[in-house]
Structures are given as C-alpha cells and as structure tokens.
Amino acid sequence: MTSLPNLNLQASEKIQSLIIRNPLTIALDTSVGKAIAMMAEHNSSYIIVVDEANQSQAVGIFTERDVVSVGAQRVDLELLTMQSVISHSVISIQEESIATITSINTIVAIFQKHQIRHLPVLEGDRLVGLLIQDSLIELLTQQITRLTLIGERAQLALKGSNDAIWDWDLERNTKFFSPRWKQMRGFSEQEIGNSPDECIRRIHPDDYHRFMKSLDDHVIGETEFFEIEYRSQCKDGSYLWVLDRGQTVKDQTGKASRFIGFETDISDRKRAEEKLQKSEQRYRAIMDNASDAICLADPQGNLIEANHKAEILLGYTREELSKLHVSQIHPPDALQAVREHFQTVVQGVAAPMLESVVLRKDSSLVPVEVTGSRIELDGTYIAQGILRDISKRKRIEAALFDSEKRYQALFNHKSDAVFINGFTETGKPSNFIEVNQTACESLGYSREELLRMDPSDIMPKDFFCKKDIIETLHTQKYASQEVLHQTKDGKIFPVELNLVELEDSQGKTLVITSARNISDRKEYENKLELTNAELIRATRLKDEFLANMSHELRTPLNAILGLSEGLQEEIFGSINERQSQAIATIEKSGQHLLELISDILDLSKIEAGKLELEIARVNILQLCQSSLNFVKNQAFKKQIQLRANLSQDIGEMVLDERRIRQVLINLLSNAVKFTPTGGKVTLDVHYEPLDSNLAEHISLTLSPIQPRPNSVLESCPLEDRFYLCISVTDTGIGIEPLDQVKLFKPFVQIDSSLNRKYEGTGLGLALVKQIVEMHGGDINLRSQVGEGSCFTVRLPYVCIAPDSHATQSPKDENSQTDTLSLQQSNTQSNSNENSIPVLLSTTSPTILIAEDNEANTLSVTSYLEEKGYHCVIAQNGQEAITFAKIHQPQLILMDIQMPEMDGITATKQIRNEPSLVDIPIIALTALAMSGDRERCLEAGANDYLTKPVHLQYLAKVIEDMLAKNEKSK
C-alpha cells in the first residue's frame, strides 16, 4: 500500500503524491489467465490493459471484480484474451489538470460518478501513472483526525466515499461510526452508540479470534496497516461480509492515540466467489466423478485439461498431462488412426467410435474406446476425448474365445455322451440339434443318424422316463435321472442323465444333456449292497455275541464275587486267616475278569457309536480327590508318594463325571503300576487358554477338537474359554519314543512277551483316549526312558453348565469306577464292621428273588437273610408273578434272562396288577449292552443293577428303596 503524504500539503500536491508511477500493465492480446497470474505475483488489485502498438496508451483496466466475474463463467481462462473481457471505455485524467484541483473531494467525486476504483493519469495520450480510490480514502481518513468532531467527519465520509468510516479514540475508548456503517447493518443513527463494543460484539464467532489478533498485532506495531475481512451481524440477525482497513495515528511520543479506518461491504464479492467456487467444484466433481477418462485438447493437439480418471488411466498428474501432446499418450502403431480421428473431430464431422491403445507413463499399454467431440468456447473450438478402459472387456472377449475353443475341445473329447435338443410347438423334445463323438460311439449311430432322432429313439420301446422330469427341468433349469439307453444293435445299458435348460440368443429353449454310462457303478452298487447286508448281519451277530458273553460271564461272576463277599463277612461261619487270603484271591481274580469284560463292552459301545455321555455339572476338586482315594492303598503297598496340586478354586465344569473318573483312575493306576517302589506320582489340575502351545508334547489325538452338541463353548466370552488340564506325572520306567504311538491302540501292550512283568489287557488307555475325545478334548504324552512319564488330558472348559437336574442321569452300576470304588471302600473298612446295619425289626421284610441260577440265588439269599430279610425264590417270570400275588413282598429282585417268561415281560404284568403296582422292583441282570437299562425302566423297574453286584451295595440299595417306599406311604 502507498505511503500517505504529509497532511499539511495542498490538495493537488497531496493527490500528486498518491499517483502510482510505472503501474502494472499488460498487452491487449494477452490471455486472461496470464493477467491474473501477474496480478497475483505483484499482489495487485488491478492491471492496466495497453494498446499492442502503443504500450503507453491505456485501453482498459482489469480489476479483482473482473476476475470474479470471468471466473463465474467456467471457461478456460487461458483461451480468453484481454480484448474479449475489456468492454467499457477507460476513464482517465490529465496530470496537468490535477494541479488545478483545490479539494480532494473533487477527485473523489470522479470516482463516485463513474463508480470506478482506479483512475489512469495521462500526459497527452501517454500513461504516466494511476490513482487508486483506496489511497484517496486513506488520505481522507488521516484528514479526519484534523477535523472537528463528528459533524465534520460525517460530512467528509458522505462526500468522500460510499464506504463506511470509523474513528476509534484509543485514549477515551470511544468510537465514531459513520451513518453508512450503521446503514450497512440496518440500524438508524440513534440505535448505535459510540462504544467500540458496538463493532466487536457483532463479529461472527468464527471470525472473532482472527479479528482480535489482527487488531492487537497492528496496535502494538507488528503490522503497518490494519486490514481484515470478516462477518458482522446485522440488526435482523443475518451477517454481511465487510473489509476493514485502517491505521493508527500516533502522538508526539509515538503512542497510538487514534485508530481510523474505513469499511467496505464485500458481501456481493463473497457471494460471487462462493458461487464461482461452487461452480468450479461442480464442474470438477462432474469431471472427476465421470466413469471414463476425459481429456481436452486445443486444435493443435496440446492437452489442456484432464479429469481424475484420466490421471488413473494414464498414470500422469494433471500438471504433467497439461504439458503433453495427444501423440505422446498413444503408441507409434496407433498414432495414424488417432490422428485421423482427431482431425475429423476438430473439423466438426461426426467421428465413429475408435478402439485404440493408450501409452501409460510406465510404458504399459491399455486398450481403450475413444469417443471424440468438438466443443465451442468463445469462438474457439477444442476437442474432447472420452477414453473408456476396455481392458476388462478385452479380457472377457479373450476368455470367451478361449472358452469357445475349450468348449469345442470338451464337447468333442468329453468322456460322457452329450446331446443338445429343443422342444417342439407341442412341448415334446425335438430332434437332436448337436451330439458329440462320444454319443455316436456309445450308441453305434453316425452323427447324421442321431440328428434325425429324438431322445425317445435311443431308449428301449418299453421304457418310460419319469413324467415330472420335464417339469423339474422347466422350473429349476436343472434335472437328473437314471434311464436306459439302447444301442443301434439292441444292447441296453444304464446311464445317468444331467439335463440343463437354457435359452439361445433368439430366446429358444435348449436342453443340454450329459449321459454317463453307469454300468460299472450299478454293478459295484449291487456288490456293495450285498456287502453292507453282510456287515449289518456281522454287526448284529457281534452285538448278540457280546450280549450273550456278558450274560454268561457275569452270571457266574455274580455268584463267585457274591459268595466271596459273604465268606469274607463270615455270613456262612467263621474262617481262618489262610482261608480269608484264599477267598480274597478268588475275589481279586473275579474282579479282574469283571474289569476285562467291562472294558471290552465299553470299547465296543464307543466304536459302534452307542456310548452316550451323561453330561452334568461336576465339582472338579471332589472328582480328583475321589480318584486319588482309589489308588491310595495300591500306592501305600509300594511306598509310592501321591502328590496333588489342586487349587481350592478350580470350581465346577460340565462333563460326564463317571467317565472322566474312569480316565483319572486308569491314568493314576498305570502311574502307580509302572512306578518302582519308593517313587512318586503327582496329579496336577489347572486351567490354561485355548491357544496355549503344546508343540513340545507328543499329540496322540489325530482328530480335531469337536465339542459335543450339548457343549456351549461357542457361547462363552473369549476371556472365559479355557482348557481344563489334568496331568498325571510319575517317576516310573518311561516309554520309548517308538512305543508311545502304540499306547492308545486296543489290545496293544508295550511288553507283550510271555514273561512280561506287568499285567493288563491293553484296553485302558484306548478307552481313555476315546472318552477324552468324546468330550471334545485331547491327550498328550511326554516321557523319558528311566525318568518317568507325564500324561496330560485337556478338556474344553464350558462356562455355562446345563441344568444339573435336567442332564443328570442315573449312573450305570456296571461302570468300573463304581465297582472299584466300592472295593476300595471295602478294603479300607474294618473287617469286623458292617456298613449296612442289620435289621432289628421282629417282622422281616419279604424280598422276592426271581433268579434261575442256583449259585446266584444261594449267594444273594444267604447274604440278605443274614441281614434280616425273608427271601422267597422264583425260578422264572411266571413264578415271580404268582409268588408276588401270594406273598405280597416289600421288594422284588428281577433277573431279566429267565426260562419260560423273561423278567421284562414279568415286570410289565406285575405292573398291570393293582395289588402289586407299588411294589419296588430292582432289575438285577447280567445284560449290559446299550439300551438294556432303558428297556428295564420302561417296563416298570424302579432301578437297574448289572451283575456282578457287590452284596453290600445291593443291601444298601434295598434298604434305601424300602425306606423311600415306606415314607411315600
């Protein structure tokens, strides 16, 4: 901004001092874009347009307002010349006439009259300088400080400019606002006071801090002039854009005493700028959101504009593209066609679409579809090229061509016969339209012969297709069927048809049929059907064999174990120590045989998929402690230390308690068995995250972890998903690496020699593995020969247990766990004490025993009579019914397999007798196969026990059932 002159000079001298010598000029034929660039470079609000021949002769002035007006037209500013935008005549003043001016208001009146902001100063026809309205207003502003108070200042403001004037007395903190200032905001003269706050409190919140910083910077002398654009609130609540420019006036001490300035309403300019900006944004949005690349070029082929898709397609930026020629974005072999297309477009002739190739910045080639058109812009024509990337289409065309070739190859070399036919007007299949070579070979006809035939001609005369096959084909567009085909020489063979319905290019329905000869498959299916029948028969025979074996072995075992138990409790009289040892040996051998039978049956159930888990909520600590109690006596005999790392807060988990106890007892028993005297066995239980790495373990489970259907592991939060890890570690003999993978195979023992040291059947670990996997877990082994082994069972922790009452099922007393636990408790109990109290009632309860085996009858009867019961014996089901009616027993022990009438039939008939319906019935049988328990309970039994059963346990069950029945009465 020009420095203001001394205010004491004459008016003419003051105006002379404001003339800008050597103003910014530009030739008439220069582009508008270049003119704007020069204005920006020199930070100028104007540029004088001069004659091309006479550079000192002004022909027009281009200002900031002209920039806004031209920009709103959305034209290429580089294509516009100054001549096309300068339409008004130039108002000027001779320098010699300035000398005669006696008042600055005279020159200001010129600006007001012609509504101009710039006034060229001439000497004759020669341009010598330029006067700017803003400089005059600044001069007037400084003169205001020399005038007296408000009236003089108001008159000067009204005469000097249409802009508002303000004068801030910094010492008194009062501010003068001209009538125009108030009028711009919609206020009357009396509605605005003289407080600076009248201005400051109306500043838009978003502009406030910027305004105050600019004000402070000027007052403290950091800026020479104060100039800011901001929004000020009007009386009606709306905002107008204003431009404030001012300068402080300092006193003799250099302190700012006044702050004088003027204000211009720039709302129109701001709206024009906003409109121009939105217009430019819309134009750019349309360009950049176009689905294709768009390039604009001048008639010489120079690129002048491109959209964002063009940048992506060609790999250049807009700036880079604006410096290229059309020929530089096409490869040499495509240039000739491109030039011809471009010239046709420039000449205004409609050009057909051109398929070409563009050359990217990285030298790669992209196939494109070019659509050209000519656009007129202010009398100048430019070419617009729309480039559509057709790479995908070309790939599809290439793939289609390859597919056609493959189709032909497949069609003629396919191993299946292929037929293509349509439908007649009546809806029946038409003659074949096409067949492949395989169809000809399989039927013995030539292609020409088959094309004269329809599908019914290649089938036996007495063979009919399913009627619904055509309906299925029409509705689902696909169908399959097995039919018979007949060759030319009469041979008939089965085929599998796969039919697909589609439409050709003319909308006609076609059927493509693939026919596969399935003669070999049919023969195989027949053989497989016979084989499956044999397998079913073998499985049934195996189940019958296992059931019979279980019954035939358990029946004598029941007598052996029952009599042994009775002898040990001296029910049949006192015995000496040698006799007691012999009887204990008999019981141990019988118990070992029972374990073998149970293991075989359990393994058979698992392999047949008939073993179901009885899932319930289980206290883990109690489960582990009860398992440890089982092997305590065995460990004590070998002086083996039993240690347990069991946290009291392990809590509960849902699993099959009986089966997991079976797993723990097996692992603990093996650990004690294979650990030398004086060794150590440790049980460790803890939780660990699902993603724990057990890579160092040897995994003996090949199948992936699959939780059971009643597991809700997936419903647990991630932080609640864990493994329950149970580890049994011993200091035993260890296992060779090559032998470890054999451990979990049924009937396989590491030491299988005739003089082997350790007894066992080789079934225990196989059952362990199967039970753990049924729980969705796995088992791992680490072992070192001579140092010991560690077996780790991992079970997925389920955070939400099912209803324990809903899932808890009665336990099968056939289990190894219950039997062995009872044996352990017997061993630990005092031989002179009896855990089942002797009945002292004078009236002995009557027990009806339905049993056809005399040895079992003797053992059970002797034991129960010793306990104070009166026993009645029935040798078959019919006798059981008769004796029950006669003796009205308090409880019935019912064997299932008996002559004449079995126990299930007898139970059902007893339940049909009104006088016998409430008598408790315990099914006591050697049957232990899947479903036996359910059949007995369904027949009417109150409980189900499998032989052999410990007599002490049987007496406890009888006592509890009699007490319960008595209480219910």
Side-chain angles (χ1 to χ4, degrees):
M1 188 175 294
T2 307
S3 299
L4 295 179
N6 191 326
L7 297 180
N8 295 320
L9 298 177
Q10 296 295 325
S12 61
E13 293 175 335
K14 295 173 184 175
I15 296 172
Q16 287 280 356
S17 67
L18 293 177
I19 296 175
I20 300 174
R21 306 294 177 176
N22 300 320
L24 186 63
T25 62
I26 192 169
L28 190 61
D29 61 345
T30 309
S31 70
V32 175
K34 185 174 181 181
I36 295 174
M38 290 179 64
M39 291 170 66
E41 180 179 357
H42 294 85
N43 194 23
S44 174
S45 64
Y46 74 95
I47 188 168
I48 298 178
V49 183
V50 297
D51 187 77
E52 298 173 13
N54 187 354
Q55 295 290 325
S56 63
Q57 182 178 357
V59 296
I61 300 176
F62 190 74
T63 67
E64 289 178 327
R65 290 186 176 182
D66 296 320
V67 173
V68 175
S69 177
V70 173
Q73 298 177 17
R74 282 187 51 198
V75 294
D76 193 333
L77 301 181
E78 294 297 329
L79 299 179
L80 292 178
T81 62
M82 298 304 298
Q83 184 177 7
S84 64
V85 298
I86 301 298
S87 59
H88 56 79
S89 59
V90 178
I91 306 300
S92 62
I93 188 171
Q94 291 292 325
E95 187 175 22
E96 61 183 7
S97 65
I98 296 177
T100 64
I101 295 176
T102 60
S103 172
I104 296 177
N105 290 334
T106 302
I107 196 76
V108 170
I110 297 175
F111 281 89
Q112 283 187 311
K113 178 180 179 181
H114 299 285
Q115 295 184 352
I116 59 175
R117 292 177 177 269
H118 304 82
L119 185 62
V121 180
L122 306 180
E123 185 178 333
D125 292 332
R126 186 172 65 84
L127 178 68
V128 296
L130 182 71
L131 281 173
I132 301 178
Q133 183 190 38
D134 292 348
S135 300
L136 290 170
I137 293 175
E138 289 182 18
L139 177 60
L140 287 173
T141 302
Q142 288 205 358
Q143 282 190 335
I144 290 174
T145 62
R146 306 288 296 267
L147 302 177
T148 58
L149 303 176
I150 298 175
E152 186 82 23
R153 289 189 296 238
Q155 291 296 323
L156 187 60
L158 291 172
K159 295 178 182 179
S161 173
N162 193 36
D163 293 334
I165 294 177
W166 46 265
D167 180 3
W168 190 351
D169 186 338
L170 297 176
E171 294 180 351
R172 294 183 178 85
N173 196 30
T174 61
K175 193 171 184 179
F176 162 74
F177 301 99
S178 70
R180 174 63 180 154
W181 192 97
K182 302 171 185 177
Q183 181 186 9
M184 286 165 56
R185 290 163 174 78
F187 292 100
S188 65
E189 180 71 25
Q190 293 75 26
E191 289 181 296
I192 297 294
N194 62 352
S195 171
D197 190 51
E198 296 282 6
C199 171
I200 293 174
R201 68 187 178 87
R202 289 182 170 85
I203 299 174
H204 193 284
D206 294 343
D207 302 333
Y208 178 80
H209 294 292
R210 182 169 53 87
F211 180 94
M212 297 304 296
K213 184 177 186 309
S214 179
L215 178 64
D216 292 341
D217 289 346
H218 180 65
V219 172
I220 64 176
E222 298 222 350
T223 59
E224 184 178 1
F225 300 100
F226 173 74
E227 183 174 353
I228 187 171
E229 293 180 357
Y230 68 97
R231 284 163 289 182
S232 181
Q233 191 176 38
C234 300
K235 184 178 180 179
D236 62 3
S238 62
Y239 285 89
L240 79 157
W241 276 97
V242 294
L243 167 63
D244 273 17
R245 287 176 285 189
Q247 190 174 25
T248 56
V249 179
K250 297 181 172 55
D251 58 18
Q252 293 179 350
T253 64
K255 178 182 178 183
S257 61
R258 305 189 78 79
F259 190 10
I260 304 172
F262 67 95
E263 183 176 87
T264 305
D265 184 351
I266 59 171
S267 298
D268 290 341
R269 194 194 83 193
K270 283 292 185 180
R271 282 192 289 269
E273 289 176 354
E274 183 181 0
K275 182 177 179 182
L276 176 62
Q277 183 181 13
K278 289 183 178 179
S279 177
E280 177 64 24
Q281 288 174 349
R282 283 195 298 268
Y283 168 72
R284 182 52 59 190
I286 292 172
M287 285 281 285
D288 286 344
N289 289 299
S291 58
D292 298 323
I294 302 176
C295 294
L296 304 180
D298 62 19
Q300 289 73 41
N302 300 308
L303 296 176
I304 56 178
E305 182 61 280
N307 68 348
H308 181 59
K309 283 289 177 24
E311 292 181 298
I312 297 174
L313 176 65
L314 299 170
Y316 294 96
T317 63
R318 283 194 178 95
E319 291 72 22
E320 291 173 329
L321 285 171
S322 65
K323 300 175 184 177
L324 297 180
H325 191 271
V326 173
S327 61
Q328 293 177 273
I329 61 172
H330 291 277
D333 55 355
L335 281 180
Q336 183 60 34
V338 170
R339 286 194 185 101
E340 294 176 358
H341 185 81
F342 182 79
Q343 291 301 324
T344 303
V345 170
V346 171
Q347 293 169 9
V349 180
M353 183 180 60
L354 173 68
E355 282 196 8
S356 184
V357 180
V358 291
L359 180 65
R360 287 173 48 84
K361 184 179 180 179
D362 60 8
S363 300
S364 61
L365 299 176
V366 179
V368 293
E369 187 178 80
V370 182
T371 303
S373 60
R374 187 175 71 166
I375 301 175
E376 182 180 355
L377 186 63
D378 293 332
T380 303
Y381 293 102
I382 62 173
Q384 174 182 269
I386 299 177
L387 311 177
R388 173 167 295 177
D389 185 348
I390 58 173
S391 302
K392 185 176 181 180
R393 193 187 80 190
K394 287 295 184 182
R395 287 193 296 269
I396 293 173
E397 289 176 354
L400 187 60
F401 178 76
D402 293 340
S403 176
E404 179 66 21
K405 291 175 61 178
R406 287 194 297 270
Y407 167 75
Q408 291 296 334
L410 287 172
F411 187 77
N412 290 314
H413 296 86
K414 185 174 174 60
S415 58
D416 295 341
V418 179
F419 306 87
I420 301 178
N421 65 280
F423 290 97
T424 64
E425 294 180 355
T426 60
K428 295 182 178 180
S430 68
N431 287 352
F432 296 122
I433 301 171
E434 187 59 84
V435 295
N436 69 349
Q437 185 61 32
T438 305
C440 299
E441 295 174 355
S442 63
L443 295 171
Y445 293 99
S446 67
R447 179 174 176 274
E448 290 73 19
E449 289 176 317
L450 285 175
L451 295 183
R452 294 193 297 268
M453 303 168 70
D454 63 40
S456 63
D457 294 329
I458 60 174
M459 297 181 187
K461 297 302 180 183
D462 56 349
F463 181 83
F464 297 95
C465 290
K466 296 179 181 178
K467 293 183 179 180
D468 59 353
I469 191 70
I470 301 299
E471 296 179 3
T472 302
L473 182 61
H474 288 332
T475 56
Q476 301 182 10
K477 305 303 179 184
Y478 172 81
S480 62
Q481 182 184 13
E482 291 184 3
V483 300
L484 297 177
H485 274 183
Q486 186 172 20
T487 63
K488 188 176 181 179
D489 58 8
K491 181 181 177 182
I492 298 175
F493 60 95
V495 294
E496 181 184 64
L497 299 184
N498 288 289
L499 304 93
V500 178
E501 182 179 285
L502 48 81
E503 290 186 355
D504 62 10
S505 59
Q506 299 176 353
K508 294 183 179 180
T509 300
L510 297 180
V511 177
I512 300 178
T513 304
S514 174
R516 173 168 297 181
N517 189 330
I518 56 173
S519 300
D520 294 339
R521 192 182 81 187
K522 284 296 183 180
E523 183 179 355
Y524 174 77
E525 288 175 354
N526 292 334
K527 292 181 180 179
L528 184 62
E529 186 176 350
L530 294 175
T531 303
N532 287 337
E534 288 296 321
L535 289 175
I536 293 173
R537 177 176 176 274
T539 301
R540 179 175 55 79
L541 292 175
K542 184 192 75 171
D543 290 344
E544 292 177 357
F545 169 75
L546 289 174
N548 290 332
M549 182 190 73
S550 173
H551 180 270
E552 295 302 323
L553 291 176
R554 286 175 183 272
T555 298
L557 274 176
N558 188 59
I560 294 172
L561 293 176
L563 290 173
S564 299
E565 188 176 356
L567 289 171
Q568 286 181 316
E569 293 187 20
E570 298 185 352
I571 290 175
F572 302 103
S574 59
I575 57 176
N576 57 36
E577 183 177 353
R578 289 185 63 193
Q579 292 171 334
S580 178
Q581 291 177 352
I583 294 171
T585 301
I586 293 172
E587 183 182 23
K588 181 179 179 181
S589 299
Q591 192 64 51
H592 182 74
L593 182 58
L594 176 61
E595 293 172 11
L596 174 60
I597 296 170
S598 298
D599 285 350
I600 292 174
L601 292 177
D602 284 347
L603 190 62
S604 175
K605 290 178 184 178
I606 293 174
E607 290 178 349
K610 296 180 179 180
L611 183 66
E612 295 183 1
L613 298 180
E614 298 175 3
I615 299 298
R617 193 189 302 269
V618 176
N619 185 297
I620 303 301
L621 185 63
Q622 294 177 3
L623 173 66
C624 295
Q625 289 174 341
S626 64
S627 301
L628 285 169
N629 289 337
F630 180 83
V631 298
K632 278 184 178 179
N633 188 48
Q634 183 182 357
F636 177 76
K637 291 180 180 179
K638 296 183 66 176
Q639 298 181 7
I640 292 175
Q641 299 181 44
L642 278 180
R643 293 185 179 180
N645 298 324
L646 306 175
S647 174
Q648 296 298 319
D649 58 356
I650 290 178
E652 296 182 336
M653 181 172 163
V654 289
L655 45 78
D656 188 324
E657 180 178 6
R658 181 165 65 90
R659 293 300 177 184
I660 296 301
R661 182 182 287 110
Q662 186 177 355
V663 168
L664 292 181
I665 291 176
N666 192 293
L667 294 177
L668 288 168
S669 298
N670 282 349
V672 172
K673 179 168 66 173
F674 292 104
T675 299
T677 300
K680 181 173 65 177
V681 173
T682 303
L683 175 64
D684 179 83
V685 182
H686 65 279
Y687 290 111
E688 66 180 31
L690 284 178
D691 57 356
S692 294
N693 181 16
L694 294 180
E696 70 274 11
H697 293 203
I698 298 174
S699 178
L700 298 170
T701 302
L702 300 179
S703 59
I705 295 175
Q706 296 291 341
R708 298 289 292 175
N710 50 8
S711 168
V712 286
L713 177 64
E714 290 74 12
S715 65
C716 299
L718 290 176
E719 62 271 15
D720 291 340
R721 297 185 184 185
F722 301 98
Y723 278 118
L724 173 67
C725 294
I726 305 173
S727 299
V728 177
T729 307
D730 63 56
T731 58
I733 60 176
I735 305 169
E736 292 284 354
L738 294 178
D739 293 332
Q740 292 179 15
V741 294
K742 304 177 184 179
L743 287 177
F744 291 80
K745 295 180 179 180
F747 303 104
V748 174
Q749 291 184 308
I750 303 304
D751 182 11
S752 58
S753 58
L754 294 177
N755 59 346
R756 59 193 177 105
K757 181 179 179 181
Y758 303 99
E759 64 179 15
T761 63
L763 291 175
L765 288 179
L767 279 171
V768 166
K769 176 177 179 292
Q770 297 278 10
I771 292 172
V772 169
E773 288 180 356
M774 289 182 69
H775 280 79
D778 60 11
I779 181 169
N780 295 274
L781 167 65
R782 288 179 295 177
S783 182
Q784 188 72 32
V785 175
E787 297 184 7
S789 304
C790 175
F791 288 85
T792 299
V793 171
R794 299 194 308 173
L795 301 174
Y797 171 70
V798 179
C799 60
I800 303 174
D803 187 346
S804 59
H805 298 290
T807 57
Q808 180 70 44
S809 300
K811 296 186 180 298
D812 183 358
E813 278 67 28
N814 176 45
S815 71
Q816 177 183 348
T817 299
D818 292 343
T819 303
L820 296 180
S821 298
L822 182 58
Q823 179 191 3
Q824 180 67 16
S825 64
N826 286 342
T827 304
Q828 293 176 346
S829 65
N830 190 311
S831 60
N832 294 325
E833 294 180 356
N834 193 343
S835 60
I836 306 298
V838 178
L839 296 175
L840 299 178
S841 173
T842 56
T843 303
S844 299
T846 300
I847 306 297
L848 173 61
I849 301 174
E851 171 65 66
D852 63 321
N853 185 277
E854 294 183 2
N856 286 336
T857 302
L858 175 63
S859 63
V860 173
T861 303
S862 300
Y863 191 88
L864 293 180
E865 288 178 348
E866 180 66 23
K867 299 301 180 182
Y869 295 102
H870 172 65
C871 296
V872 177
I873 309 300
Q875 295 185 347
N876 57 60
Q878 188 60 57
E879 286 187 2
I881 297 172
T882 302
F883 291 171
K885 293 178 181 179
I886 295 174
H887 297 283
Q888 294 290 313
Q890 279 71 47
L891 185 141
I892 301 174
L893 292 179
M894 182 73 71
D895 187 20
I896 298 303
Q897 285 190 329
M898 292 184 294
E900 297 186 21
M901 180 184 292
D902 60 78
I904 290 180
T905 303
T907 300
K908 289 180 179 179
Q909 293 191 17
I910 289 174
R911 288 302 181 217
N912 290 329
E913 292 289 336
S915 61
L916 307 178
V917 69
D918 294 327
I919 298 176
I921 300 176
I922 298 176
L924 185 63
T925 177
L927 294 177
M929 300 304 291
S930 176
D932 290 341
R933 175 189 182 86
E934 289 73 17
R935 290 194 300 118
C936 293
L937 296 179
E938 184 180 353
N942 297 87
D943 205 347
Y944 171 90
L945 301 179
T946 58
K947 300 176 183 178
V949 61
H950 284 280
L951 297 179
Q952 189 180 50
Y953 179 77
L954 175 61
K956 180 66 169 62
V957 172
I958 292 174
E959 180 189 7
D960 291 345
M961 191 165 291
L962 289 176
K964 181 179 179 181
N965 194 49
E966 186 66 28
K967 186 177 180 181
S968 64
K969 291 181 179 180

